[in-house]
Amino acid sequence: MNVINESGTLALSTRLQRLSEQLRKDGALVYKEFGIDFEPKWFPVIFTLHHKQTLSVVEIANEIGYTHPSTISLLKELEKQQMIQSKKDKTDERKRLIELAPKGMELIEKMKPVWEIISKVLGEISDNENHLLKAINEAEEKIASQSFLQRVLQLKSVNNQ
């Protein structure tokens, strides 16, 4: 075992990042294996637009839980790849509405059978003694009610009294 694994919860973020990077790397290879030119980092936007059709930039950022700048960066990449297209909102000229472009819709049709396989495999990986997905949901709920920073500051103020 390495020092990161031995450090327990102190390295939680590092271990989650490591797991995420491994899944992304393998995910890219899975898509390549099926002859699909797709970056796993595009998944949240593509999948969201597949289900919600047309959304503003802010709505997409809220749906995927990314910051506005990170979302815009992804949208620029996807627009460059001609996977998405934007149009101005008829009620608010400042607002851009994003939707899948024909190339993006075509891609989704190729990806649906792959998503079924990926879902089964990830189900097997996460269906373990500690129910990884359930644990992630619970941790996200706790952070939504009180952030990591808020909890640290609260403990800091208790210790300083």
Side-chain angles (χ1 to χ4, degrees), residues 65-107:
Y66 287 14
T67 63
H68 193 263
S70 295
T71 302
I72 287 176
S73 176
L74 273 175
L75 293 174
K76 283 181 180 177
E77 273 187 60
L78 288 165
E79 206 159 28
K80 187 177 178 185
Q81 295 293 322
Q82 299 177 329
M83 300 289 183
I84 62 168
Q85 56 196 20
S86 66
K87 59 185 179 184
K88 287 189 177 176
D89 188 327
K90 291 174 184 166
T91 60
D92 184 350
E93 286 286 314
R94 299 166 298 164
K95 192 190 278 188
R96 276 185 7 175
L97 297 176
I98 312 295
E99 60 189 12
L100 289 171
K103 186 176 176 183
M105 289 185 249
E106 188 180 304
L107 176 73

Side-chain angles (χ1 to χ4, degrees), residues 21-153:
E21 285 177 3
Q22 183 63 54
L23 291 173
R24 275 186 192 238
K25 186 180 84 174
D26 283 356
L29 294 173
V30 167
Y31 289 121
K32 189 175 182 178
E33 181 67 31
F34 283 88
I36 298 171
D37 185 21
F38 186 75
E39 293 285 331
K41 67 181 176 180
W42 299 340
F43 175 81
V45 172
I46 293 292
F47 194 74
T48 298
L49 290 173
H50 168 58
H51 286 280
K52 301 261 181 149
Q53 278 87 39
T54 305
L55 294 171
S56 71
V57 175
V58 170
E59 289 169 327
I60 292 171
N62 290 337
E63 280 287 329
I64 66 176
Y66 287 14
T67 63
H68 193 263
S70 295
T71 302
I72 287 176
S73 176
L74 273 175
L75 293 174
K76 283 181 180 177
E77 273 187 60
L78 288 165
E79 206 159 28
K80 187 177 178 185
Q81 295 293 322
Q82 299 177 329
M83 300 289 183
I84 62 168
Q85 56 196 20
S86 66
K87 59 185 179 184
K88 287 189 177 176
D89 188 327
K90 291 174 184 166
T91 60
D92 184 350
E93 286 286 314
R94 299 166 298 164
K95 192 190 278 188
R96 276 185 7 175
L97 297 176
I98 312 295
E99 60 189 12
L100 289 171
K103 186 176 176 183
M105 289 185 249
E106 188 180 304
L107 176 73
I108 283 176
E109 291 310 310
K110 289 182 193 172
M111 293 174 75
K112 281 180 181 177
V114 180
W115 285 345
E116 285 182 34
I117 293 168
I118 288 172
S119 186
K120 284 180 187 170
V121 172
L122 288 174
E124 291 171 11
I125 291 169
S126 64
D127 184 21
N128 49 41
E129 184 181 332
N130 299 304
H131 306 287
L132 178 60
L133 198 53
K134 184 178 177 190
I136 289 171
N137 287 336
E138 290 170 0
E140 286 176 336
E141 286 171 14
K142 282 184 176 183
I143 288 173
S145 71
Q146 186 181 25
S147 76
F148 173 53
L149 174 62
Q150 290 168 329
R151 290 167 190 267
V152 168
L153 294 176

